[in-house]
Amino acid sequence: MNAKKAALITCEAVGAEIEKVAPADLSIKVLEFGLHNHPNKLNQRLRECLDEVEGESGYQVALFAYGLCSNGVVGLKPRRVKVVIPKVDDCISLFLGSRKEYGEQQRRDPGTFYLTKGWIEYGETPLAIYNQDVPWAKKYSPEQIHWVARETIKNYTRVALIKTGAYDTLPYEDYARETADLFGLKYEVLPGSLNLLKKLIYGHWDEDFVVVEPGTEITQEMFL
């Protein structure tokens, strides 16, 4: 696929992985991680980005390095370009390399809290909350914040750092291990893969992707 004819829309949580595999001439629009906490706002921003891509001449394809993401992509309806989205629930499958691998990990240990560089740097992780390293923490006492942090992760049994190969994971391994130790959880490093992102970017759109032609609205059922 000619990268100059495509635009990629991604979350900043996947930024390091995208930077690793994307060609230099690919147009990339990066959205803030926090939109995931507000699916309606995420949907609105994705609609705006799609409109921007369709308003610029030369683009034939809009690539979304997202998944279903709490229905954030549902309702998108391109008018002029083709839209391609990995057929996954969220970005964890993008980090692990496939929906199948994510499913296997969930069967193995369904109570897994996954971490990557992007999640650690941009997400409000339980450790960040506990350490009061989130914008809203100053409104509460340390005791209240510690309670919130423990509530956030109380249903999990394992902390897993995904090693995608896009960066040196050593500092992030320390962070993930500290999270597991603080909350009394198992700790593991999982091998990741950039395969799904490579297929998205380089046009190898098989059954792992939702491919939508102009005039077709994206539905939740397309991701089943």
Side-chain angles (χ1 to χ4, degrees):
M1 185 188 66
N2 186 340
K4 292 182 179 180
K5 295 182 178 180
L8 175 70
I9 300 162
T10 186
C11 171
E12 60 187 351
V14 196
E17 286 73 19
I18 294 295
E19 184 177 348
K20 181 72 174 179
V21 299
D25 57 347
L26 178 64
S27 174
I28 301 174
K29 297 178 183 291
V30 182
L31 302 185
E32 58 271 27
F33 181 92
L35 288 169
H36 283 281
N37 297 325
H38 309 279
N40 290 338
K41 290 183 179 179
L42 174 60
N43 182 266
Q44 181 60 36
R45 285 293 290 120
L46 293 177
R47 289 173 186 266
E48 291 169 357
C49 285
L50 180 57
D51 287 342
E52 290 171 9
V53 171
E54 295 200 299
E56 299 175 20
S57 62
Y59 293 126
Q60 298 177 357
V61 182
L63 307 172
F64 285 78
Y66 280 88
L68 185 58
C69 294
S70 300
N71 288 336
V73 299
V74 171
L76 297 183
K77 185 177 181 179
R79 304 183 310 275
R80 187 180 63 79
V81 302
K82 180 182 296 186
V83 166
V84 184
I85 309 174
K87 192 184 291 185
V88 298
D89 291 331
D90 54 42
C91 64
I92 302 302
S93 293
L94 299 182
F95 296 129
L96 290 171
S98 70
R99 188 176 191 173
K100 178 181 178 182
E101 179 59 29
Y102 185 25
E104 289 177 358
Q105 287 297 331
Q106 288 298 93
R107 284 189 290 274
R108 176 184 166 195
D109 198 331
T112 299
F113 191 89
Y114 295 94
L115 289 172
T116 63
K117 175 183 178 180
W119 274 79
I120 290 170
E121 292 184 347
Y122 299 110
E124 293 187 351
T125 67
L127 183 57
I129 295 172
Y130 189 90
N131 290 335
Q132 297 184 292
D133 191 23
V134 291
W136 47 269
K138 302 288 189 249
K139 301 178 182 178
Y140 304 95
S141 70
E143 292 76 18
Q144 289 173 313
I145 286 294
H146 292 171
W147 180 85
V148 171
R150 291 193 175 95
E151 283 294 299
T152 301
I153 203 167
K154 70 177 183 180
N155 294 322
Y156 293 92
T157 56
R158 176 177 69 155
V159 173
L161 181 80
I162 305 173
K163 197 170 186 176
T164 64
Y167 48 85
D168 178 13
T169 59
L170 189 57
Y172 305 103
E173 289 180 41
D174 292 341
Y175 186 99
R177 188 180 293 106
E178 183 181 353
T179 301
D181 290 344
L182 177 63
F183 297 105
L185 307 178
K186 295 181 292 184
Y187 168 69
E188 192 170 350
V189 176
L190 301 178
S193 170
L194 300 176
N195 182 56
L196 198 56
L197 288 174
K198 289 178 180 177
K199 287 167 63 176
L200 171 69
I201 291 171
Y202 291 97
H204 306 301
W205 307 321
D206 54 17
E207 67 278 1
D208 293 330
F209 295 88
V210 172
V211 181
V212 172
E213 300 294 338
T216 301
E217 183 172 320
I218 295 173
T219 66
Q220 185 180 27
E221 287 72 27
M222 293 176 177
F223 290 82
L224 299 178

